[in-house]
Amino acid sequence: MKNISLQVIALFGALSCFGSVHAAETRTPLVPLPSLDDFTDGDGWGVGLGLSVEYESAYEGSDEFELEVEPAGGVQWRTGDHLFYWSGLAIGWRTLVKDGWLVQTSLGYEEGREEGDSEDGRLDGLGESSSGATLLLETRYALAENWRYFLDGRVLTGEIGTLGIFGAGTCLACQPNGTGWEVGAVVTFHDGKLANRDFGVNTQQSINSGLPETDVDSGYRSTGVNVNYRNYLNENWQVFGEVLYEVYGSDVSDSPISRNNYEAEIGVGFIYVF
């Protein structure tokens, strides 16, 4: 896993050198952070379509990894400091408020875990975990000019439970067109409903699977670091990538569902911006 991470980061670095020559200098995103895509160029519509390849944990707490190809991009409409978007299973709105505040909200859909997510049969007898609509509320605050340093707070809530994410980040070699590197660190918390959806084993599941009955308390979930990268290869083509590493707290790690005490993900993709 470590060698793959280094190879992907090296690839991002090489593309960064190439993209710096061919960057789309004229684009002006709402917020110049690589983790927040903006396919518009000021007011009006923006459309980006592409694909990403992700190598990631098969499910929360898994020691199995899988390679997946996912669609990337979305449709956006911007007016002034407001941007409305549709991306994947989510529709949302983000806006800039004075003094460096970004506010974002979206409605999405979170798919549950299936027994077949483990090719080694580690989830046999557990059935499917719940799926459902989710509401995301997020705010970011810029601590320095051009979002060089920022604080981040997010709450994801819905039928599956509630997740709270609190962190800080920095943007490295970032440009006004939203390209560059973004590095962040976060701490996450979950309520009892979400904790047991992902890591709990109820009485019936215990009987069916042979795993010990487990009830996970609400509270601290994990600490993680993430790296986001975005660049233009030319006027229309974007390359982007992400590396994520998350270490679980002891309550989560002690669950019989957790075969690893961490979750990891590496992804790279390309988007054509119309």
Side-chain angles (χ1 to χ4, degrees), residues 56-113:
E56 60 186 356
S57 303
Y59 56 91
E60 302 276 1
S62 173
D63 59 356
E64 303 169 58
F65 289 84
E66 59 184 12
L67 195 66
E68 287 193 357
V69 178
E70 300 282 353
V75 178
Q76 303 172 341
W77 184 72
R78 181 172 158 193
T79 174
D81 289 334
H82 304 274
L83 188 147
F84 302 87
Y85 62 90
W86 168 46
S87 178
L89 298 177
I91 55 172
W93 160 74
R94 69 175 66 117
T95 185
L96 275 177
V97 218
K98 65 177 183 178
D99 300 326
W101 285 94
L102 170 73
V103 176
Q104 178 172 228
T105 183
S106 66
L107 288 172
Y109 185 80
E110 185 77 17
E111 295 182 344
R113 183 190 64 215

Side-chain angles (χ1 to χ4, degrees), residues 123-147:
L123 301 175
D124 290 354
L126 295 177
E128 297 183 8
S129 64
S130 59
S131 303
T134 57
L135 172 66
L136 172 69
L137 301 172
E138 177 179 5
T139 181
R140 295 193 188 191
Y141 177 65
L143 297 172
E145 188 177 358
N146 298 322
W147 294 81

Side-chain angles (χ1 to χ4, degrees), residues 1-226:
M1 188 72 188
K2 181 179 179 181
N3 290 335
I4 294 175
S5 300
L6 293 175
Q7 291 170 7
V8 173
I9 292 173
L11 173 62
F12 292 163
L15 290 171
S16 176
C17 294
F18 177 79
S20 63
V21 178
H22 301 276
E25 297 292 349
T26 59
R27 293 193 181 272
T28 53
L30 183 67
V31 179
L33 290 177
S35 62
L36 298 172
D37 54 25
D38 186 345
F39 306 129
T40 69
D41 186 15
D43 288 356
W45 289 95
V47 179
L49 296 176
L51 291 173
S52 67
V53 179
E54 300 173 357
Y55 184 70
E56 60 186 356
S57 303
Y59 56 91
E60 302 276 1
S62 173
D63 59 356
E64 303 169 58
F65 289 84
E66 59 184 12
L67 195 66
E68 287 193 357
V69 178
E70 300 282 353
V75 178
Q76 303 172 341
W77 184 72
R78 181 172 158 193
T79 174
D81 289 334
H82 304 274
L83 188 147
F84 302 87
Y85 62 90
W86 168 46
S87 178
L89 298 177
I91 55 172
W93 160 74
R94 69 175 66 117
T95 185
L96 275 177
V97 218
K98 65 177 183 178
D99 300 326
W101 285 94
L102 170 73
V103 176
Q104 178 172 228
T105 183
S106 66
L107 288 172
Y109 185 80
E110 185 77 17
E111 295 182 344
R113 183 190 64 215
E114 300 179 357
E115 290 187 5
D117 289 343
S118 172
E119 294 184 358
D120 294 340
R122 302 282 176 80
L123 301 175
D124 290 354
L126 295 177
E128 297 183 8
S129 64
S130 59
S131 303
T134 57
L135 172 66
L136 172 69
L137 301 172
E138 177 179 5
T139 181
R140 295 193 188 191
Y141 177 65
L143 297 172
E145 188 177 358
N146 298 322
W147 294 81
R148 177 65 186 272
Y149 303 102
F150 60 89
L151 299 177
D152 185 18
R154 280 169 277 170
V155 175
L156 182 71
T157 187
E159 301 170 73
I160 63 171
T162 300
L163 178 71
I165 304 172
F166 307 94
T170 181
C171 205
L172 306 175
C174 286
Q175 302 299 318
N177 63 0
T179 61
W181 294 84
E182 183 182 323
V183 181
V186 299
V187 178
T188 68
F189 301 85
H190 52 196
D191 67 356
K193 186 174 183 180
L194 182 62
N196 284 287
R197 169 190 181 263
D198 293 336
F199 301 104
V201 180
N202 62 34
T203 302
Q204 189 60 53
Q205 289 174 324
S206 177
I207 294 171
N208 295 340
S209 67
L211 297 177
E213 191 170 345
T214 303
D215 182 73
V216 183
D217 292 334
S218 61
Y220 173 68
R221 181 182 179 101
S222 65
T223 298
V225 294
N226 59 278

